[in-house]
Amino acid sequence: MVFTIDTLLFQVLPYVPVALFIIEAIRRYRQRPFSYSSLSSQFLEGDRLFIGSVPWHYGILFVLGGHLFAFLFPRELIAFGSVPWRLLILEVTALIGGLVSLIGLVELTIRRLTRDRIRAVTNVMDLVVLGVLLTQVGLGVYIALTMRWGSMWFATIMAPYLKSVVLLQPNVDLVSVLPWVIKLHIVGAYVFLAILPYSRLVHMLVWPVHYLFRRPQVVIWNAEPGSLRSTGEPERGG
Amino acid sequence: MTDRMNALLRTAVVVGSVVLMQGTSRAQDAADPTGALFEKQCYSCHNIGSGKKKGPDLKGILQRRDRAWLHKFIASPKSMKASGDKIAVGLFREFAPEEMPDQMLTPLQIEDFLNFIDKVTKSGKVFVPQSGQLSRPVRPGDIEAGYAYFTGKKKLAAGGPACISCHSVQGVTPLGGGTLGLDLTQANARYTNIELASILKAPAFPTMSRLFANNPLTDEEVVQVFAYLQSTKTRTPDPGRSAFAFVLIGMAGTVACLGLMNFRWRARLRTGVRKDFVAQAVERHRKNLRSADHSHRAGRDA
Amino acid sequence: MNVRLQMAMVFHLDKCIGCHTCSIACKNVWTDRRGAEYMWWNNVETKPGTGYPTAWEDQDRYRGGWVQGSDGKLRLRGFSKGGTLESIFHQPYLPTIDDYYEPFTYRYQDLFDTPEGADQPTARPVSMITGKPIDIQAGPNWDDDLGGSPVYAENDPNLTHVSEEDKRLLFELERMTFFYVPRICNHCLNPSCVAACPSGAIYKRGEDGVVLINQEACRGWRFCVTACPYKKSYYNWSTGKSEKCILCFPRIETGQAPACFHSCVGRIRYFGGLLYDADKLPAAASVPEGELVDAHRGIILNPNDPAVVAGARKNGLGPDVIEACRRSPVYQYVIDWKLALPLHAEFRTIPMLFYVPPLMPVMATVENGAYDTTETGLFGVVDNMRLPITYLARLFSAGNEGHVRYALKKQIAVRAHRRMVTVGDLDRDAVTSMMQEVGADAAELDAIYRLTSLPTEKERYVIPPSHREEAEQMLKTDVLRAKGETGFGFLERPVRGT
């Protein structure tokens, strides 16, 4: 086997961020639970946040969901896209998702860099996160526009590659022939995964879906109710 | 629409028949064991009588070059170049960046190849590879079937991906096809019919060869996709227009999405409650000042 | 019957002089930190006024508290559970720091460092968020004593039910009046902040009903800020966590009154335990608005009732705790005397902080340019107060004027009775008829007088023992480890994550 830059990037590299992500996210959750927060800045500035945050989050959730779906169900996706008008709907909605998230992200970046109050709560890692995300989403939209149809070739090329990575038998051949823009997008995804546990991005791991299933009130006893204060004698006087 | 389709269909049938006829007349070339080996080892870079590919056309090579030189060159082109042989250096320069790799061939095999090339040259024909031959003539209905395979509406039997994933053909869908690969509208202008058929059967491009390595098109599929591609020969590719439409629809949808979000949370608090109050009070004050000023003037006028 | 203990409070507004000592005590102990500068877990507001944050009572804007659906069930006014997740990326009804105020300090050093010149050196105000010079727009008590009334007092959400004529009179310069409302977290029995927290980080302590935010579980989704109709949950913009009044639990666990109580110079605050029936929740909050105060009282149990005592013992409340509840000043004000009323019961959170509505500042009327405080009309003044009774009813009894009128009349009756006893210039029959009207005998009025005017500290703060020694023993964790960790504060420094 010839060892090339592709081997490094797509065969060895994937396992570093995955390992980092799993180990560090758990370690941070257990050892530094206080540091898990959305770190929302809405309290300092709300109007511009709405314009940025809502499109960004909904757009990126939709797009990431699309990637995940294409990875898990490539056959079904190809079957769905086999009729031209359905393929167009698929691609146009994906593009809209990408554009919506890109607009939101650009707005969030401008807001973070120009508002004094927001700059007061910005650290270096926040800027790294913004840089990686801007690169990723920008590349993604560029790819969606110029290398069509992403949904189809993702299902035929990327899905088997990712599957091979998951099955610990990475098949570099599949991705090594792709244009460098797409390769950069893949590498960007690994970088994203690697910085996730070290950044504010951890908030996505604690998205409170359990809220839907809990009772409205929470009462916590320091000890079993009924087992306490059974011995105290009445205080007299006072 | 149907008239146009029929016209295209007729064209394709005629073209296809021609290819088929050519194919049958020369089938013996590739059927020859040396011919089959030539197809496997040499044809990806060399033609015999059909022009330059990645390397020179080999027609009449024995008339042009010394047989001993050819033996030496074919066995190890790189050492020839390294030795400073003028012809070798010239060839490498002409076909750069392609470099002919050293061949693991015995002198006997090289001799067989040279004889085979000579035979084809002398017959006055061109070499047609086995894969460049269609299994049957194109028939009406093949275009539509090919279109279905191209868009993925009909699945390829061996499970290969649909062409539209990466390739476009003018008018294949309202927004065109894929753009990761080439626009195939005039694929026949770029490749000969034989090459096109060969590509369909066993693509030699890195991406495609990997994707179709374990799931090649069946002979029947090759004929039908071939027929469809032939039928698009007369169209003029205009990828800019379909790309523009794609972007435009995407942007319109984006604006609609943003509008929808704004509407969904229209009751949100905006500038801030206190700022609103201050602004209102200032406005009230201004109004009072204006009306006071007005009545003052009115009083003075009276 | 599920008997639980709740630490409850009474603020006697007739005694509050609006000095903000409570706020400062709290600030010094708990919120003098980065990100918490703007927080006033205890604040004092002038009424009429919009308070802090601006117009916090206006739930059409802020969507706090509960509403009763057409099916009779309570739901959060702000968001359903699905709506919470839907609005998590930008919370539509969250007040921003401009609705509180941008915390500021001054560049005092400039006073010393400025080179000699023609002008006096000045200390410019700088934002405590950005560190840059700002023009101060607001402060925590910007509308104190009716300051900036055209902006603040006139926008008081409680004035919506007051007639235009009364409003005009209210803001007539000669009639202008105000009183103070100190506010802390109400440690509600049906807290909407707990119900709204997506992370489940907010909880009510079973032992004493203190509502707390687990700082390690809080993820800064900020729904508690919106859900609390009293806006007593605050978002720390620096740490990315929400914080709120903790009722100084380290103090009450050791038998001391919370800092704001302890420091109150007007001695307006009373602190004690109440027993309540947890089985009646949330039914007690699911009644028509006018009946809310009665339902509120109905959930509180009589610590002298043998059945209640048995229930309390069953739930592990010791005899000393029950005894403390019997001496609770809160029980006397709220249940025995019905003087103290919950603030904005219509938010349906069942707050455990009760207010004795103010009589003194609103009683005097102006006759021919002179204040008339003679009480000759006796109860007549109640309906001729400078503050319309509708206004007070909006604040303290969910619009039910009867409760406020009763509380005010009873306070007047106490005064009349005491005046008769000490000065003797009032007609005994008139006073007796007043006493009959409020259904109180001389002993009760004397008791009210005594607890209002002459209470000792031990009478004002009756804190049931927490028995931390037992709580520690019962913890399922290693006691020795708990001992080793106690007193070392945060194991992880409370700094902003990256």
Side-chain angles (χ1 to χ4, degrees):
Chain A
M1 190 188 75
V2 191
F3 196 83
T4 62
I5 184 82
D6 283 344
T7 327
L8 179 72
L9 289 180
F10 303 111
Q11 192 161 339
V12 182
L13 183 65
Y15 296 102
V16 178
V18 169
L20 274 181
F21 168 69
I22 294 173
I23 295 168
E24 284 296 280
I26 293 174
R27 194 186 63 82
R28 181 170 171 182
Y29 189 85
R30 291 176 60 92
Q31 295 182 0
R32 297 197 299 130
F34 188 84
S35 72
Y36 265 73
S37 168
S38 64
L39 294 181
S40 163
S41 58
Q42 185 185 354
F43 183 70
L44 296 176
E45 199 288 320
D47 291 354
R48 293 283 299 274
L49 184 84
F50 178 83
I51 305 170
S53 178
V54 175
W56 157 249
H57 282 97
Y58 276 104
I60 201 66
L61 280 178
F62 179 78
V63 169
L64 281 180
H67 280 67
L68 188 68
F69 183 88
F71 166 58
L72 294 176
F73 308 103
R75 283 165 205 279
E76 288 74 6
L77 187 74
I78 291 172
F80 179 82
S82 63
V83 181
W85 65 265
R86 290 204 303 222
L87 175 66
L88 295 184
I89 289 176
L90 192 68
E91 285 289 331
V92 166
T93 46
L95 178 67
I96 291 172
L99 285 174
V100 165
S101 58
L102 183 63
I103 288 172
L105 188 58
V106 168
E107 161 64 20
L108 286 179
T109 310
I110 295 171
R111 169 179 173 271
R112 188 156 285 277
L113 295 179
T114 57
R115 295 278 165 134
D116 283 344
R117 284 183 187 166
I118 310 301
R119 277 166 69 150
V121 290
T122 300
N123 58 32
V124 177
M125 200 51 172
D126 293 343
L127 299 179
V128 173
V129 166
L130 277 176
V132 170
L133 292 179
L134 274 174
T135 313
Q136 270 307 78
V137 179
L139 283 174
V141 170
Y142 176 77
I143 289 167
L145 283 174
T146 59
M147 295 166 196
R148 291 160 4 205
W149 299 113
S151 56
M152 294 295 108
W153 59 252
F154 185 99
T156 47
I157 302 176
M158 286 308 298
Y161 164 67
L162 291 174
K163 192 177 159 194
S164 75
V165 170
V166 171
L167 296 178
L168 306 180
Q169 294 167 329
N171 184 354
V172 189
D173 282 358
L174 284 163
V175 287
S176 61
V177 295
L178 290 172
W180 66 270
V181 178
I182 298 178
K183 285 185 183 173
L184 199 60
H185 191 65
I186 301 170
V187 173
Y190 294 139
V191 172
F192 169 81
L193 213 55
I195 63 168
L196 198 154
Y198 298 101
S199 68
R200 55 160 55 203
L201 292 169
V202 288
H203 75 272
M204 61 190 271
L205 304 178
V206 288
W207 187 65
V209 68
H210 57 279
Y211 178 54
L212 296 174
F213 311 106
R214 78 163 170 89
R215 290 160 59 91
Q217 296 299 350
V218 182
V219 176
I220 294 181
W221 298 79
N222 274 325
E224 294 288 331
S227 65
L228 200 57
R229 298 178 184 180
S230 46
T231 56
E233 286 305 311
E235 233 176 76
R236 289 292 164 206
Chain B
M1 179 67 205
T2 41
D3 284 349
R4 204 168 131 230
M5 276 296 264
N6 286 337
L8 290 170
L9 204 88
R10 275 196 296 278
T11 326
V13 170
V14 174
V15 175
S17 317
V18 171
V19 173
L20 195 82
M21 273 149 59
Q22 286 173 343
T24 39
S25 65
R26 278 153 208 189
Q28 72 277 9
D29 292 349
D32 183 321
T34 315
L37 202 61
F38 182 87
E39 183 177 343
K40 197 171 151 214
Q41 298 257 42
C42 320
Y43 183 67
S44 56
C45 299
H46 296 286
N47 269 330
I48 307 176
S50 321
K52 272 190 239 174
K53 273 165 106 178
K54 285 179 184 171
D57 191 337
L58 300 180
K59 186 173 181 177
I61 192 76
L62 279 164
Q63 284 71 42
R64 279 182 280 146
R65 306 254 187 263
D66 176 45
R67 189 178 279 259
W69 182 89
L70 281 169
H71 267 282
K72 255 166 85 186
F73 183 84
I74 294 167
S76 179
K78 282 188 179 159
S79 48
M80 284 290 276
K81 183 195 170 198
S83 73
D85 183 276
K86 269 192 181 165
I87 304 171
V89 172
L91 282 169
F92 269 95
R93 192 174 298 144
E94 185 182 350
F95 290 94
E98 302 295 340
E99 287 193 354
M100 182 166 165
D102 289 359
Q103 305 293 324
M104 310 297 268
L105 294 170
T106 62
L108 206 65
Q109 283 172 314
I110 295 175
E111 188 61 27
D112 279 350
F113 276 132
L114 292 176
N115 288 338
F116 176 75
I117 294 166
D118 201 34
K119 193 180 97 190
V120 176
T121 306
K122 286 188 175 136
S123 72
K125 295 169 188 167
V126 296
F127 174 75
V128 177
Q130 192 78 44
S131 60
Q133 292 158 27
L134 297 179
S135 57
R136 62 165 177 79
V138 171
R139 286 194 295 262
D142 282 349
I143 294 180
E144 267 172 82
Y147 175 74
Y149 283 126
F150 192 93
T151 58
K153 194 173 179 181
K154 241 162 98 180
K155 282 203 188 85
L156 295 172
C163 317
I164 199 171
S165 305
C166 305
H167 294 289
S168 184
V169 153
Q170 184 60 34
V172 62
T173 71
L175 294 182
T179 52
L180 186 65
L182 291 172
D183 187 312
L184 300 180
T185 309
Q186 291 171 331
N188 298 328
R190 197 189 305 264
Y191 299 105
T192 64
N193 290 337
I194 296 161
E195 282 167 346
L196 185 63
S198 163
I199 291 167
L200 286 172
K201 207 158 192 181
F205 307 106
T207 320
M208 285 183 76
S209 67
R210 287 193 170 92
L211 283 177
F212 289 92
N214 299 318
N215 37 18
L217 274 66
T218 63
D219 288 346
E220 192 63 12
E221 288 163 355
V222 169
V223 175
Q224 289 168 332
V225 175
F226 178 86
Y228 172 66
L229 289 177
Q230 287 280 313
S231 75
T232 65
K233 208 172 181 178
T234 51
R235 305 181 194 175
T236 316
D238 186 8
R241 204 168 136 196
S242 63
F244 183 68
F246 182 53
V247 174
L248 208 65
I249 296 176
M251 292 210 298
T254 304
V255 171
C257 272
L258 297 180
L260 198 70
M261 287 168 186
N262 189 42
F263 178 76
R264 166 64 185 82
W265 286 286
R266 63 195 176 284
R268 69 184 186 271
L269 294 173
R270 292 177 206 236
T271 41
V273 176
R274 190 182 54 78
K275 283 182 174 174
D276 275 354
F277 286 168
V278 173
Q280 284 163 16
V282 167
E283 184 53 36
R284 269 203 307 273
H285 182 64
R286 285 219 182 100
K287 213 187 261 173
N288 288 343
L289 278 185
R290 269 201 300 274
S291 64
D293 190 40
H294 188 74
S295 59
H296 177 66
R297 260 187 225 155
R300 200 178 46 194
D301 291 347
Chain C
M1 190 156 40
N2 183 3
V3 183
R4 284 188 195 160
L5 173 66
Q6 169 71 43
M7 294 315 301
M9 307 149 265
V10 166
F11 289 2
H12 200 307
L13 297 186
D14 224 13
K15 299 166 73 181
C16 183
I17 58 169
C19 65
H20 299 271
T21 309
C22 44
S23 307
I24 298 301
C26 176
K27 168 68 55 188
N28 283 338
V29 177
W30 298 118
T31 58
D32 195 12
R33 293 170 282 126
R34 181 156 176 80
E37 303 97 338
Y38 86 94
M39 291 180 201
W40 294 86
W41 292 355
N42 180 112
N43 76 305
V44 182
E45 296 175 359
T46 300
K47 285 285 169 193
T50 49
Y52 158 91
T54 308
W56 59 271
E57 293 153 293
D58 187 350
Q59 304 310 340
D60 287 339
R61 294 175 199 269
Y62 292 121
R63 316 277 174 118
W66 304 86
V67 285
Q68 197 171 10
S70 50
D71 58 349
K73 282 191 177 156
L74 289 186
R75 55 177 177 76
L76 290 170
R77 187 192 292 269
F79 306 92
S80 64
K81 285 187 170 182
T84 297
L85 298 190
E86 187 193 3
S87 293
I88 206 162
F89 307 126
H90 173 276
Q91 226 216 78
Y93 314 120
L94 183 80
T96 61
I97 195 156
D98 291 316
D99 296 320
Y100 299 79
Y101 72 105
E102 183 162 356
F104 51 86
T105 183
Y106 297 90
R107 279 190 184 152
Y108 296 108
Q109 197 60 40
D110 289 359
L111 298 176
F112 301 95
D113 296 348
T114 313
E116 201 175 318
D119 301 316
Q120 287 279 355
T122 54
R124 289 186 72 182
V126 289
S127 163
M128 291 179 86
I129 300 174
T130 63
K132 294 184 176 170
I134 53 164
D135 287 328
I136 300 169
Q137 300 285 331
N141 56 339
W142 211 234
D143 58 342
D144 230 15
D145 299 352
L146 295 180
S149 287
V151 176
Y152 300 105
E154 287 184 17
N155 282 309
D156 186 327
N158 302 295
L159 290 170
T160 46
H161 290 71
V162 175
S163 70
E164 284 303 315
E165 172 65 7
D166 278 351
K167 239 188 266 187
R168 194 183 57 76
L169 289 173
L170 180 62
F171 291 109
E172 214 171 69
L173 203 56
E174 295 79 13
R175 281 177 63 102
M176 258 195 171
T177 187
F178 58 84
F179 61 97
Y180 302 102
V181 180
R183 300 200 298 122
I184 67 170
C185 169
N186 294 294
H187 297 277
C188 307
L189 291 188
N190 186 31
S192 48
C193 58
V194 176
C197 177
S199 307
I202 314 184
Y203 62 98
K204 198 169 178 64
R205 289 215 302 196
E207 285 79 3
D208 52 14
V210 176
V211 177
L212 295 172
I213 300 176
N214 181 350
Q215 293 288 296
E216 294 192 339
C218 174
R219 306 284 172 237
W221 303 123
R222 317 169 305 291
F223 281 88
C224 55
V225 180
T226 293
C228 175
Y230 302 94
K231 291 287 166 285
K232 279 295 168 189
S233 182
Y234 300 88
Y235 180 70
N236 183 320
W237 51 265
S238 178
T239 60
K241 305 272 169 171
S242 289
E243 302 176 6
K244 63 179 285 300
C245 161
I246 59 174
L247 204 59
C248 289
F249 71 81
R251 288 177 62 94
I252 63 174
E253 282 175 6
T254 51
Q256 307 170 77
C260 54
F261 287 73
H262 192 87
S263 62
C264 179
V265 286
R267 303 183 178 182
I268 76 155
R269 298 188 178 210
Y270 300 83
F271 191 63
L274 288 181
L275 298 177
Y276 70 98
D277 186 357
D279 285 344
K280 285 190 183 162
L281 289 169
S286 317
V287 297
E289 271 199 6
E291 298 162 27
L292 272 169
V293 173
D294 291 316
H296 216 116
R297 288 173 179 154
I299 199 172
I300 297 165
L301 299 170
N302 182 352
N304 291 307
D305 180 346
V308 172
V309 172
R313 297 288 291 136
K314 204 180 93 203
N315 272 5
L317 296 172
D320 47 0
V321 173
I322 297 165
E323 177 60 25
C325 290
R326 285 179 185 144
R327 292 188 288 113
S328 168
V330 178
Y331 188 81
Q332 285 178 293
Y333 270 113
V334 176
I335 303 295
D336 286 344
W337 303 334
K338 301 192 181 356
L339 278 175
L341 298 164
L343 181 64
H344 286 299
E346 73 273 20
F347 298 159
R348 297 177 189 272
T349 59
I350 316 191
M352 281 293 118
L353 164 52
F354 301 86
Y355 292 87
V356 178
L359 183 61
M360 184 60 182
V362 297
M363 190 176 69
T365 53
V366 182
E367 288 297 333
N368 305 321
Y371 284 105
D372 173 21
T373 52
T374 54
E375 296 172 20
T376 42
L378 296 177
F379 285 155
V381 296
V382 169
D383 288 308
N384 288 318
M385 290 194 311
R386 289 192 289 169
L387 266 177
I389 200 107
T390 14
Y391 179 80
L392 290 176
R394 262 297 114 198
L395 273 171
F396 299 115
S397 58
N400 183 333
E401 295 178 12
H403 289 301
V404 173
R405 194 172 278 125
Y406 177 82
L408 293 175
K409 279 183 176 176
K410 200 162 192 175
Q411 288 186 70
I412 295 171
V414 171
R415 288 175 195 215
H417 167 67
R418 290 305 303 170
R419 182 160 173 167
M420 192 190 71
V421 171
T422 56
V423 184
D425 64 341
L426 290 181
D427 178 35
R428 178 169 292 271
D429 288 342
V431 173
T432 310
S433 76
M434 283 174 80
M435 286 160 66
Q436 278 166 351
E437 195 178 333
V438 294
D441 55 16
E444 185 180 338
L445 296 185
D446 281 336
I448 295 172
Y449 154 71
R450 198 185 142 65
L451 195 59
T452 303
S453 307
L454 308 165
T456 63
E457 193 199 356
K458 284 200 167 173
E459 284 166 340
R460 280 184 284 135
Y461 312 136
V462 182
I463 302 165
S466 291
H467 290 294
R468 282 212 48 184
E469 69 287 357
E470 281 186 57
E472 216 78 303
Q473 298 284 345
M474 297 311 298
L475 285 177
K476 287 174 196 92
T477 51
D478 183 1
V479 177
L480 289 176
R481 212 187 118 216
K483 181 185 164 201
E485 285 172 354
T486 304
F488 285 88
F490 285 94
L491 295 178
E492 181 195 351
R493 286 192 56 210
V495 292
R496 183 181 180 84
T498 52

